[in-house]
Amino acid sequence: MSEELIQIETPFAFNEENQREFDELIGRYPIKEAAMLPTLHLAQRQAGYITPAVMKYVAELLEVTVMKVKDVVTFYPMFFEEPVGEYVIRVCHTLPCALRDCKVVLDHLKAKLDTDIASETNLAKGTTADGKFTLMKVECLASCDVAPVIMINDDLYKNLTAEKVDEILDNL
Amino acid sequence: MVEERRILYEHLDVPDINTFDVFRQYDGYTRFEKAIAEYQPEEIAQMVLDSGLKGRGGAGFSTGEKWSFVPRDIEPRYLCCNADESEPGTFSNRYVLEKNPHLLIEGILICCYAMGIETTYVYIRGEFTLGKKMLDAAIKEAYEKGYLGKDVRGTGLNIDIYTHPGAGAYICGEETGLIESLEGKRGQPRNKPPFPAVQGVFMKPTVVQNVETLCNLPFIVGNGVEWYTEMGPTYADTRFDPPKPDANTGTKLYCISGDVNEPGVYELDLGLTCTELIEVAGGLRGEEVKAVIPGGSSAPILTHYELDTRLDFTSLTLAKSMLGSGGIIVMNETRNIVDCLLNIMKFYAHESCGQCTPCRWGTPWVRDIVQRIADGNGRKDTITRPKFGVAENGRWGDTGETEEIYEDLDLLESVANNIANVDTMTWNTICVFGIAVSWPAVSYMRKFRPEFEAAIREGKLVTLPVAEATVPPEENYAYQQRFIPKEFADL
């Protein structure tokens, strides 16, 4: 990661609330590096996605190299390195949901939001033009008894049909 | 009709059971109090060993035995609770976390007392936002009531529990992957040995247990070992002299999904058959069972010939499959097995952590081959070759017949077996993810070969009737390999 790239980004720092939470969680581990995942979750919640500036900030906090933070960010699908919509829609498409017609839900969402499905390397592809929604497929959400399911940000929606999807999107 | 026996899930639907006061009304924390008042830590460990409790996370390893490997003279020791429930078809831990988190805390307390552990990390998968919120709230309450923190209930024990969120990687459910992830790195599994019991998180002795395993502990302590061992079958492993009891004790939270009328979690004694379980889950949705996945998507598939297989650790191992995490997925006659395999292989190709070459490359190759077959571009060759199978002498060999070569099917088996060989049970990868890939790939292909052949021959997906799609047991190599439990007689 070049210095230039870091400099053109707006610098990042935790706000007061997140700083408090960070101070609390860093005390849980015998080594600072272990707080990597919770810290990145906090940072992503504040910044929207993990920018180079965020990585630099987290690296300084945890006393590791920026490369090490990047290494972790690229491994886990829940961390985004590109901007995502206000609502991230995760559609489960693993076998139990597939047996309960998750394809109908996915196709309906695609048509309704008029967007493609985001891939991990190209989130913009699945983000609507107004930047409101990002549509992505995810692996099993561990709710196979109420399949098909989707997650919108932190909320799980169960036993979906095309009509229910409409209702959910209207109420957001 | 088999009756549900609710123990772990008994109070799950009680309103506000997630709060301390309500949980307390239903004997909450009394089992922990009994443990510290009546037993020494070593006695609890011995009880767990005697109970025959097997780990519910997937491997089915004896919990008591695992604890016995932990050196008690190295400080500090850690407990990692594995709540990274990501195996497709499994969803029982979610309900415990969301509805009855105090039960998990009580289980953790008992384990900590027995093993002299002061710090516990509960690794919750990142998508379980509600579960994490509920557990965090319950932990906070337990601290306030003096069941966690310094000097628990005046006993001099110091016990802390912290939740640690994952970030969407399936491999972090593997115990050493979980440990790496907990240490703030990529969740790539470690070489074993050293096992986590000796060198785990932060290179200290670590007990890694699934949520469900820990939730069993209060009941073993509260009701005694004898009560616990009465549930579920115990076989005698006659390979040992004197025969070693092979316990499948306790209840299991069976998660049943797919083509049944009432999918959900059913708590039943170990050892009931597939047919009985489908009946409990409201019966089949459809005309006929085509296939059953018995233990999460990694487990080899069972055909309609094998529905009498008992769903416990021993019986399923003997049937060349596994109970795994207890995620049972049922498929009816309308399902195409090639399509199902494609779905599962996409999952594994996505989730391979990329550490070992056979898995990093092999898994996408397997996916691509199945994709090619499903797209109707499967490769075939018209030359014939001797057919291998059960020969006249009853052994595996040349049958004297000839068969058409389906190049892609051979390739599929070859690639899968080079990630992990399902016949010899050896894997060329660091962790058992390799086996989790090749087990479904090879078992689906061997047991439902006509459907794969039809897809290649016709150039499109063809769903055959159940009887035609399934290879009869007597011709099925994988099936032949299973040794019938002659060595395992009922005690």
Side-chain angles (χ1 to χ4, degrees):
Chain A
M1 186 163 315
S2 77
E3 275 304 309
E4 265 177 16
L5 201 64
I6 293 168
Q7 275 161 12
I8 54 165
E9 291 271 347
T10 352
F12 175 84
F14 276 144
N15 59 27
E16 223 171 278
E17 191 197 335
N18 285 343
Q19 183 64 45
R20 253 203 314 278
E21 205 166 319
F22 172 76
D23 291 339
E24 198 264 315
L25 68 88
I26 194 80
R28 298 175 172 185
Y29 307 95
I31 53 169
K32 282 188 173 180
E33 192 189 342
M36 182 81 80
L37 294 189
T39 309
L40 284 170
H41 274 298
L42 273 184
Q44 178 161 286
R45 209 188 307 155
Q46 188 182 323
Y49 66 106
I50 309 283
T51 60
V54 170
M55 288 189 224
K56 189 164 177 274
Y57 180 73
V58 171
E60 279 163 13
L61 279 181
L62 303 179
E63 295 168 13
V64 293
T65 58
V66 182
M67 204 55 231
K68 206 149 194 181
V69 181
K70 173 98 179 166
D71 190 41
V72 171
V73 170
T74 51
F75 185 81
Y76 295 95
M78 279 182 86
F79 298 129
F80 306 130
E81 286 187 88
E82 288 172 57
V84 286
E86 188 186 341
Y87 297 102
V88 177
I89 305 178
R90 296 181 163 92
V91 184
C92 176
H93 72 297
T94 315
L95 188 59
C97 276
L99 295 176
R100 294 263 170 174
D101 293 334
C102 71
K103 200 167 179 308
V104 175
V105 174
L106 191 63
D107 289 343
H108 185 72
L109 277 164
K110 262 168 79 175
K112 189 164 168 88
L113 300 175
D114 188 25
T115 176
D116 208 345
I117 299 159
S119 72
E120 261 162 47
T121 46
N122 189 359
L123 292 169
K125 196 169 76 170
T127 307
T128 51
D130 58 1
K132 205 167 173 202
F133 297 99
T134 298
L135 180 64
M136 57 173 71
K137 290 203 280 191
V138 290
E139 303 300 350
C140 193
L141 288 172
S143 303
C144 318
D145 53 339
V146 287
V149 292
I150 64 171
M151 252 181 109
I152 303 182
N153 292 349
D154 285 350
D155 300 316
L156 187 78
Y157 297 90
K158 306 162 181 177
N159 289 326
L160 294 176
T161 55
E163 294 77 51
K164 274 196 191 168
V165 170
D166 284 339
E167 204 178 301
I168 291 161
L169 290 184
D170 291 342
N171 292 335
L172 277 180
Chain B
M1 181 83 178
V2 182
E3 288 285 315
E4 252 199 285
R5 184 187 329 232
R6 286 194 159 208
I7 295 169
L8 272 62
Y9 266 26
E10 190 183 357
H11 304 307
L12 196 74
D13 297 322
V14 173
D16 297 327
I17 189 79
N18 60 317
T19 60
F20 181 87
D21 293 332
V22 177
F23 183 66
R24 190 76 185 152
Q25 282 170 24
Y26 292 93
D27 297 339
Y29 292 106
T30 53
R31 285 81 42 123
F32 170 61
E33 281 159 3
K34 184 182 172 194
I36 50 179
E38 294 178 20
Y39 301 103
Q40 291 299 313
E42 290 77 13
E43 287 175 318
I44 303 277
Q46 188 60 43
M47 277 169 85
V48 173
L49 183 64
D50 293 341
S51 74
L53 174 66
K54 285 185 172 175
R56 303 294 201 238
F61 192 78
S62 161
T63 305
E65 223 169 296
K66 196 191 244 180
W67 290 9
S68 70
F69 300 147
V70 178
R72 283 177 181 264
D73 52 348
I74 303 175
E75 298 277 350
R77 295 181 288 275
Y78 291 101
L79 168 63
C80 288
C81 170
N82 188 344
D84 189 60
E85 183 172 54
S86 347
E87 179 79 21
T90 317
F91 43 91
S92 59
N93 294 354
R94 175 194 276 274
Y95 289 117
V96 174
L97 294 169
E98 289 180 358
K99 293 186 175 175
N100 198 358
H102 279 290
L103 180 63
L104 174 61
I105 298 175
E106 192 177 2
I108 290 173
L109 283 170
I110 292 171
C111 178
C112 286
Y113 173 64
M115 301 307 297
I117 290 167
E118 298 197 338
T119 313
T120 300
Y121 296 104
V122 183
Y123 189 101
I124 301 191
R125 70 177 290 194
E127 289 89 342
F128 282 5
T129 37
L130 179 60
K132 183 169 182 296
K133 204 174 105 195
M134 301 306 267
L135 183 62
D136 277 335
I139 289 173
K140 196 162 163 258
E141 248 184 325
Y143 270 108
E144 282 163 9
K145 302 282 177 185
Y147 283 89
L148 287 175
K150 294 260 175 287
D151 193 16
V152 173
R153 307 295 290 168
T155 53
L157 297 168
N158 304 320
I159 300 174
D160 286 309
I161 303 181
Y162 304 119
T163 53
H164 184 100
Y170 168 76
I171 196 63
C172 295
E174 203 274 350
E175 57 178 3
T176 54
L178 183 147
I179 286 168
E180 285 284 299
S181 179
L182 190 57
E183 290 181 357
K185 301 175 211 154
R186 296 166 83 94
Q188 292 176 326
R190 292 179 185 166
N191 261 314
K192 289 178 260 187
F195 286 92
V198 182
Q199 278 193 344
V201 67
F202 313 122
M203 287 299 159
K204 298 292 179 202
T206 306
V207 180
V208 186
Q209 300 289 185
N210 180 262
V211 171
E212 195 184 329
T213 317
L214 289 168
C215 288
N216 271 293
L217 300 179
F219 303 102
I220 294 174
V221 172
N223 300 343
V225 173
E226 260 175 47
W227 169 84
Y228 193 79
T229 47
E230 271 170 22
M231 295 180 288
T234 297
Y235 303 99
D237 189 344
T238 50
R239 287 172 297 180
F240 295 90
D241 186 32
K244 196 174 148 192
D246 188 39
N248 288 273
T249 46
T251 58
K252 176 85 189 80
L253 299 172
Y254 289 102
C255 313
I256 181 160
S257 60
D259 295 320
V260 288
N261 286 320
E262 291 161 26
V265 183
Y266 295 89
E267 184 167 6
L268 298 144
D269 288 8
L270 279 163
L272 82 169
T273 64
C274 279
T275 320
E276 284 169 331
L277 186 65
I278 293 170
E279 208 177 292
V280 172
L284 182 77
R285 198 180 65 155
E287 299 291 313
E288 215 179 331
V289 179
K290 186 166 192 172
V292 174
I293 300 174
S297 66
S298 316
I301 204 161
L302 300 179
T303 65
H304 73 277
Y305 293 108
E306 294 165 290
L307 293 180
D308 57 343
T309 312
R310 296 174 84 180
L311 295 168
D312 59 47
F313 295 101
T314 309
S315 306
L316 276 168
T317 309
L318 292 170
K320 286 262 153 191
S321 186
M322 65 163 181
L323 183 61
S325 53
I328 288 137
I329 308 171
V330 180
M331 291 170 229
N332 68 16
E333 77 287 349
T334 62
R335 306 302 177 185
N336 189 298
I337 300 296
V338 184
D339 206 22
C340 292
L341 181 62
L342 176 61
N343 187 300
I344 290 176
M345 286 304 129
K346 280 181 178 168
F347 172 81
Y348 286 109
H350 180 261
E351 297 296 343
S352 171
C353 81
Q355 190 176 201
C356 317
T357 314
C359 173
R360 179 177 64 239
W361 289 95
T363 316
W365 285 347
V366 173
R367 177 202 58 197
D368 292 347
I369 296 164
V370 183
Q371 178 81 61
R372 194 158 68 209
I373 297 170
D375 288 347
N377 303 323
R379 294 179 194 158
K380 65 167 183 281
D381 220 324
T382 47
I383 55 163
T384 53
R385 65 163 184 200
K387 185 181 176 185
F388 287 88
V390 183
E392 273 175 13
N393 58 8
R395 303 187 64 165
W396 182 254
D398 187 355
T399 55
E401 299 162 31
T402 52
E403 66 175 344
E404 259 195 323
I405 291 181
Y406 290 89
E407 196 189 330
D408 262 353
L409 298 187
D410 290 359
L411 188 63
L412 176 66
E413 186 159 338
S414 155
V415 175
N417 272 337
N418 275 306
I419 304 171
N421 193 313
V422 298
D423 295 322
T424 58
M425 281 301 284
T426 49
W427 47 95
N428 300 329
T429 50
I430 288 173
C431 74
V432 288
F433 187 96
I435 278 279
V437 176
S438 49
W439 246 350
V442 176
S443 73
Y444 287 35
M445 205 270 287
R446 283 184 184 166
K447 292 186 179 180
F448 293 93
R449 193 173 170 104
E451 209 152 85
F452 285 81
E453 288 179 355
I456 296 176
R457 207 171 42 238
E458 312 270 331
K460 61 172 198 259
L461 282 182
V462 185
T463 308
L464 299 173
V466 179
E468 280 175 46
T470 321
V471 178
E474 58 274 14
E475 286 175 29
N476 185 332
Y477 180 33
Y479 198 89
Q480 283 295 322
Q481 279 273 304
R482 91 177 186 169
F483 55 106
I484 307 297
K486 263 179 273 172
E487 294 171 325
F488 287 78
D490 275 311
L491 260 183

